[in-house]
Amino acid sequence: MYIMIKIVFFLIGLFYLKISISKVKKVYFFYRALNEYKFIQNEKILSLITPFLIVLELFVSLYFIFGIYSLREILLCVSLQFLYIFLNLRSLKNFNYDNCGCFPLQVPKKGSLKIIFFNISFLFFIIILFGVKVRLL
């Protein structure tokens, strides 16, 4: 069972790595998407926070890939998921953002309950998986 949990965390790490690499390749588009979502009103602060979020997501992916998932790493991952859930909830008010749609699971071009449900389910899955891992130790 413990090996399966390690494999699942590894796959989650690959998932986050794929997403963070796409953001590294398209930093400006991610910035624009966050700006359109009115995540932070001040553009200078947003220009500092955008790369920080990408690096944070990259670190979370590497932690999971290399089998480092203590409470701290899980909290980072959960915080990122809460952020994306919050952004998706905000996106329901405006259904037509003018972003590239490059990040459909985090900052989609159009708001969707399906995407919100995916992010909430993914959040609970990570929490439950960590809980199972802790119980096995």
Side-chain angles (χ1 to χ4, degrees):
M1 181 71 157
Y2 187 70
I3 302 263
M4 284 185 3
I5 291 173
K6 287 182 86 99
I7 291 170
V8 172
F9 270 118
F10 179 80
L11 293 174
I12 292 171
L14 289 178
F15 174 74
Y16 268 109
L17 184 64
K18 181 181 182 289
I19 290 171
S20 60
I21 287 174
S22 72
K23 290 176 184 163
V24 167
K25 290 179 180 177
K26 300 175 183 178
V27 176
Y28 177 70
F29 292 115
F30 186 57
Y31 164 80
R32 274 194 52 201
L34 291 176
N35 192 26
E36 287 179 4
Y37 275 59
K38 305 280 187 253
F39 172 56
I40 293 177
Q41 301 294 329
N42 188 324
E43 290 186 15
K44 288 183 182 181
I45 293 174
L46 184 61
S47 68
L48 296 173
I49 289 177
T50 301
F52 175 75
L53 287 173
I54 295 170
V55 169
L56 189 64
E57 196 168 277
L58 187 60
F59 275 123
V60 165
S61 70
L62 294 176
Y63 286 141
F64 287 174
I65 288 171
F66 291 113
I68 305 168
Y69 31 83
S70 65
L71 183 60
R72 179 185 60 209
E73 288 78 26
I74 296 297
L75 288 176
L76 287 174
C77 183
V78 166
S79 299
L80 283 170
Q81 281 304 115
F82 270 123
L83 171 69
Y84 294 133
I85 290 168
F86 170 74
L87 290 174
N88 279 296
L89 287 171
R90 288 190 68 164
S91 73
L92 289 177
K93 292 191 324 188
N94 184 359
F95 287 105
N96 200 9
Y97 287 102
D98 190 28
N99 67 40
C100 67
C102 308
F103 319 105
L105 294 177
Q106 282 107 13
V107 282
K109 192 167 186 155
K110 295 182 180 184
S112 163
L113 288 175
K114 181 176 155 183
I115 294 170
I116 293 170
F117 179 74
F118 170 81
N119 280 300
I120 291 171
S121 300
F122 193 63
L123 171 70
F124 283 124
F125 178 71
I126 290 168
I127 292 170
I128 290 170
L129 190 64
F130 181 70
V132 169
K133 178 208 164 255
V134 168
R135 294 200 77 150
L136 288 176
L137 291 178

